[in-house]
């Protein structure tokens, strides 16, 4: 057993967990940890605000399947993490967030930069720890990685007082992690699987609703086998986009208040809804009412999700990949696909001389043929992206689905590019969202992260502006973003190449220029404030 400081032990555990990169900002209460990091091979990315550190860790985690790690100091550093942590929690993203804390003897005395971050984040972390006993640090960190990455994944926070970081301990990594009371159930109950098979085979109009859980569990192939054997139309939540290729003949699109007509129609006509890895919250259901005529099979790793928003006939707690492969072993083949008529109703979008957002997104799809990772921000552009981009592979459409956090897109793209440097990474953003965390252009420049940013500039908080147009009879308040900077000059200030696109004639050329540019690139697309979210 070697003797070392807690700070050094923390770095050793991170190394043993295979951590290669950490996103964060240092400060006085976390300096011993940073000092220990100095002599390790772990890369540290200095962000410009801590919220971006969590989003970057999230983009990294979502593209690699690993746990994303972020670090902040006590007080304001820790509170700046909060939106990012809540965003990761809502979308089940595995993150370990490490925060420095004031000296243990001063906790509770409102000293400089003290905040109760474990108390504050308790409702939206999967678990969190305030480390009081230095001897427990190794076990706690190991547990944190285990909890974040197993069962339904999510963020775990570890708050380490500065005096604890400096204490010496005997360092030994435990071989196994056994957490009493925490035993995620991966295998579905055989009886429920049998009932699910019977329900699917006896249904006339089955529909699969695929959520983020399908992507998280890597169940896309199993899903494709099921739907092809049983000829089942697939609809997805925002988080489930990409769980099967969006050009699959049985894919009908995203459901919900901002969903596609065909998908919502199929949902309304189904006599059996197979919900996989989704919680069907309000936005996913929109104004669709689940009636008694519809049976529901709900597969989810988290028992708390089953029955939360919709009553379930066949609940199956388990990992989507495992449950689907069990179902596939028993399921027969069906002859006919019942939703041809619905599929045929696919809307044709107007092809006029104006430059519409869907033209841009479809041109991006064409030019890259889906060989990219897309991240989005939140607003109309998020929905335009969800409806119009070709998403070929699971995990290549990364968005803040649950919390709807403006500012997520660009930092998530940075993290994604660190995770998958071999892939083109494109952030789709709006002028409102972009300005929430635009300081990350400095991180892009400093770290030379060659992502592409497509910024739909409608000088509006477009989605809210549209809401005010419809619901407040045009009484627009606080949705006009006049005072926006000149984004070309802004990009130049950060040393990033950019281009402004204003007309349809220049569209192909602009996407080609963006695609062939080797470094980071900002493409501003001048957009009418009156473009509807759903044309
Ligand atoms: C942090 C945060 N604040 C406020 C909102 C509420 N909100 C949802 S969409 C939106 C407008 C987004 O504007 P922009 O990024 O320009 O996108 P657009 O809708 O114009 O495409 C706002 C303010 C939010 N989702 N997140």
């Amino acid at each position: 057993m070697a003797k070392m400081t807690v700070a050094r032990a923390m770095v050793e555990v991170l190394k043993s967990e295979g951590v290669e990169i950490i996103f964060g900002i240092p400060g006085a209460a976390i300096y011993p940890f940073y000092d220990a990091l100095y002599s390790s091979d772990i890369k540290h990315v200095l962000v410009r605000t801590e919220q971006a550190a969590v989003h970057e860790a999230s983009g990294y985690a979502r593209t690699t399947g690993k746990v994303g790690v972020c670090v902040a100091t006590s007080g304001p550093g820790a509170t700046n993490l909060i939106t990012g942590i809540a965003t990761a929690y809502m979308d089940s993203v595995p993150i370990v967030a490490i925060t420095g804390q004031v000296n243990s003897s001063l906790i509770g005395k409102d000293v400089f930069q003290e905040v109760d971050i474990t108390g504050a984040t308790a409702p939206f972390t999967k678990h969190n720890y305030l480390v009081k006993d230095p001897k427990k640090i190794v076990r706690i960190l190991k547990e944190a990685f285990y909890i974040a990455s197993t069962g339904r994944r999510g963020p775990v926070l570890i708050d380490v007082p500065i005096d604890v970081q400096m204490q010496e301990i005997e360092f030994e990594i435990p071989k196994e992690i056994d957490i009493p009371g925490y035993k995620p159930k991966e295998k579905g109950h055989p009886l429920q699987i049998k009932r699910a098979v019977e329900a699917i085979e006896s249904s006339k109009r089955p529909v699969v609703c695929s959520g983020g859980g399908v992507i998280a569990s890597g169940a896309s192939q199993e899903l494709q086998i099921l739907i092809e054997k049983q000829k089942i139309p697939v609809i997805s939540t925002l988080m489930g986009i990409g769980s099967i290729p969006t050009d699959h003949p049985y894919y009908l699109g995203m459901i919900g208040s901002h969903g596609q007509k065909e998908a919502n129609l199929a949902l309304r006509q189904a006599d059996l809804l197979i919900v996989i890895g989704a919680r069907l919250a309000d936005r996913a259901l929109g104004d669709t009412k689940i009636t008694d005529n519809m049976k529901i099979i709900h597969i989810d790793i988290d028992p708390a999700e089953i029955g939360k928003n919709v009553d379930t006939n066949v609940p199956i707690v388990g990992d989507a990949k495992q449950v689907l492969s069990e179902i596939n072993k028993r399921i027969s083949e069906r002859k006919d696909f019942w939703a041809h008529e619905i599929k045929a109703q696919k809307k044709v979008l107007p092809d006029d001389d104006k430059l519409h957002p869907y033209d841009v997104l479809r041109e991006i799809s064409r030019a890259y043929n889906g060989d990219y990772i897309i991240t989005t921000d939140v607003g109309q552009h998020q929905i335009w992206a969800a409806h119009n981009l070709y998403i070929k592979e699971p995990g290549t459409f990364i968005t803040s689905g649950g919390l709807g956090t403006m500012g997520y897109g660009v930092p998530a793209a940075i993290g994604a590019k660190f995770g998958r440097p071999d892939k083109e990474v494109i952030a789709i953003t709006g002028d409102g969202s972009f300005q929430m965390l635009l300081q990350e252009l400095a991180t892009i420049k400093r770290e030379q992260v060659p992502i592409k940013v497509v910024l739909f500039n409608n000088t509006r908080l477009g989605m809210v502006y549209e809401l005010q147009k419809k619901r407040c009879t045009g009484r627009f308040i606080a949705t006009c973003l006049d005072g926006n900077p000149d984004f070309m000059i802004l990009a130049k200030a950060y040393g990033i190449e950019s281009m402004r696109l204003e007309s349809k004639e220049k569209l192909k050329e602009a996407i080609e220029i963006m695609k062939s540019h080797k470094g980071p690139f900002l493409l501003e697309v001048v957009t009418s404030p009156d473009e509807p979210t759903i044309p």
Side-chain angles (χ1 to χ4, degrees):
M1 262 194 289
K3 270 197 165 203
M4 62 179 72
T5 62
V6 164
R8 171 89 198 281
M10 289 164 73
V11 173
E12 291 302 318
V13 180
L14 295 179
K15 277 167 38 186
S16 80
E17 288 292 332
V19 175
E20 289 166 346
I21 189 166
I22 297 182
F23 304 89
I25 300 186
I30 192 74
Y31 94 82
F33 172 76
Y34 269 84
D35 191 38
L37 201 59
Y38 181 83
S39 23
S40 87
D41 291 339
I42 298 175
K43 180 174 176 58
H44 179 271
V45 175
L46 175 63
V47 295
R48 293 300 195 260
T49 183
E50 290 83 353
Q51 187 189 146
V54 199
H55 294 333
E56 285 171 35
S58 166
Y60 177 83
R62 288 172 76 169
T63 48
T64 58
K66 294 184 179 176
V67 174
V69 181
C70 57
V71 191
T73 193
S74 66
T79 53
N80 271 354
L81 293 178
I82 284 181
T83 303
I85 292 174
T87 306
Y89 183 75
M90 293 292 274
D91 291 342
S92 312
V93 182
I95 302 270
V96 167
I98 298 171
T99 48
Q101 181 55 281
V102 301
N103 202 296
S104 326
S105 62
L106 300 175
I107 289 177
K109 295 184 193 277
D110 288 341
V111 294
F112 180 64
Q113 293 195 328
E114 184 195 357
V115 79
D116 174 9
I117 196 64
T118 45
T121 57
F124 43 80
T125 42
K126 192 170 168 192
H127 197 56
N128 69 25
Y129 302 85
L130 169 60
V131 185
K132 292 183 191 137
D133 180 353
K135 290 197 287 303
K136 292 202 174 141
I137 189 70
V138 174
R139 189 179 170 84
I140 286 177
L141 259 169
K142 288 296 257 188
E143 276 186 17
F145 275 85
Y146 181 67
I147 292 172
S149 59
T150 51
R152 179 183 185 163
R153 300 181 203 166
V156 177
L157 179 135
I158 306 170
D159 197 26
V160 196
I162 181 165
D163 56 313
V164 173
Q165 292 173 51
M166 291 192 283
Q167 297 217 15
E168 281 229 322
I169 53 163
E170 300 278 358
F171 178 74
E172 191 178 22
I173 295 189
K175 285 200 180 64
E176 267 178 32
I177 290 296
D178 177 43
I179 307 170
Y182 178 73
K183 300 272 175 291
K185 200 167 164 296
E186 307 250 304
K187 276 186 133 181
H189 193 287
L191 195 68
Q192 295 302 84
I193 287 177
K194 186 167 168 271
R195 286 181 63 207
V197 169
E198 283 164 9
I200 296 170
E201 287 176 345
S202 62
S203 66
K204 293 205 166 50
R205 294 178 309 282
V207 169
V208 162
C209 175
S210 176
V214 173
I215 296 168
S217 89
S220 293
Q221 216 181 338
E222 287 72 13
L223 175 62
Q224 214 157 310
I225 293 171
L226 171 69
I227 59 138
E228 285 172 7
K229 264 186 154 180
Q230 273 285 316
K231 309 220 169 10
I232 309 177
V234 181
I235 56 182
S236 79
T237 62
L238 185 57
M239 289 295 292
I241 290 179
S243 50
I244 67 163
T246 53
D247 65 346
H248 191 285
Y250 298 166
Y251 182 66
L252 298 178
M254 179 177 90
I255 49 165
S257 49
H258 292 94
Q260 277 140 300
K261 191 173 146 206
E262 310 92 274
N264 283 330
L265 263 176
L267 176 63
R268 277 175 210 144
Q269 293 184 19
D271 65 350
L272 174 72
L273 182 63
I274 308 155
V275 185
I276 313 172
R279 62 175 160 272
L280 287 189
D282 54 342
R283 211 193 200 208
L285 281 181
D287 51 13
T288 303
K289 299 271 170 292
I290 303 288
T291 62
D292 292 344
N293 302 330
M294 192 195 289
K295 270 195 165 180
I296 297 195
I297 299 172
H298 196 161
I299 303 166
D300 206 294
I301 189 113
D302 184 353
E305 287 305 344
I306 295 181
K308 187 197 271 180
N309 295 312
V310 285
D311 291 339
T312 305
N313 304 82
V314 186
I316 308 182
V317 179
D319 172 62
K321 191 179 173 76
Q322 294 211 20
V323 173
L324 285 174
S325 60
E326 286 304 314
I327 292 178
N328 289 344
K329 279 184 204 156
R330 293 164 178 76
I331 202 94
S332 60
E333 301 222 3
R334 187 190 289 259
K335 277 210 200 86
D336 300 313
F337 178 69
W338 68 268
H340 281 300
E341 269 179 38
I342 295 179
K343 181 98 192 171
Q345 295 195 19
K346 196 156 182 65
K347 195 154 152 185
V348 181
L349 294 167
D351 184 13
D352 52 27
D353 325 329
K354 287 195 203 120
L355 178 69
H356 297 286
Y358 52 80
D359 296 323
V360 178
L361 293 158
R362 289 179 177 195
E363 180 55 27
I364 292 174
S365 301
R366 196 202 55 75
Y368 288 83
N369 189 31
D371 292 326
Y372 42 43
I373 292 173
I374 299 289
T375 68
T376 85
D377 255 305
V378 175
Q380 291 182 300
H381 59 277
Q382 181 187 34
I383 307 302
W384 295 328
H387 286 207
N388 293 293
L389 281 172
Y390 169 37
I391 304 298
K392 189 153 68 174
E393 290 166 34
T396 59
F397 183 78
I398 292 177
T399 193
S400 166
L403 203 64
T405 305
M406 289 170 70
Y408 180 75
V410 171
I414 296 173
K417 188 70 188 173
F418 275 116
R420 293 292 308 270
D422 55 314
K423 281 267 188 186
E424 279 284 350
V425 179
I426 306 174
I428 307 291
T429 186
D431 47 325
S433 296
F434 180 65
Q435 290 183 80
M436 290 225 171
L437 285 174
L438 73 78
Q439 63 273 54
E440 285 310 293
L441 291 179
T443 308
I444 294 172
K445 177 67 186 168
R446 181 177 189 270
E447 300 286 343
Q448 285 299 310
V449 198
I451 61 162
K452 310 290 159 68
V453 178
V454 177
L455 163 61
F456 287 99
N457 181 6
N458 53 6
T459 47
R460 295 291 182 285
L461 294 169
M463 187 164 267
V464 189
Y465 173 81
E466 186 181 35
L467 179 82
Q468 292 173 350
K469 198 194 290 185
K470 285 187 188 150
R471 301 256 181 92
C472 312
T473 51
R475 291 183 303 128
F476 298 114
I477 172 167
T479 45
C480 180
L481 294 179
D482 42 11
N484 269 348
D486 180 324
F487 291 107
M488 299 297 95
I489 299 178
L490 183 84
K492 196 162 180 215
Y494 282 99
I496 290 173
E497 283 287 316
S498 65
M499 181 178 175
R500 181 175 287 140
L501 172 66
E502 292 180 82
S503 68
K504 203 164 178 173
E505 304 94 74
K506 295 266 186 243
L507 172 58
K508 276 197 171 164
E509 187 189 334
I511 302 299
E512 257 334 295
I513 290 173
M514 174 173 91
K515 193 175 169 219
S516 55
H517 185 73
K518 293 273 175 285
F521 192 88
L522 175 83
L523 178 67
E524 177 190 359
V525 181
V526 177
T527 308
S528 160
D530 293 311
E531 279 286 345
T533 302
I534 300 176

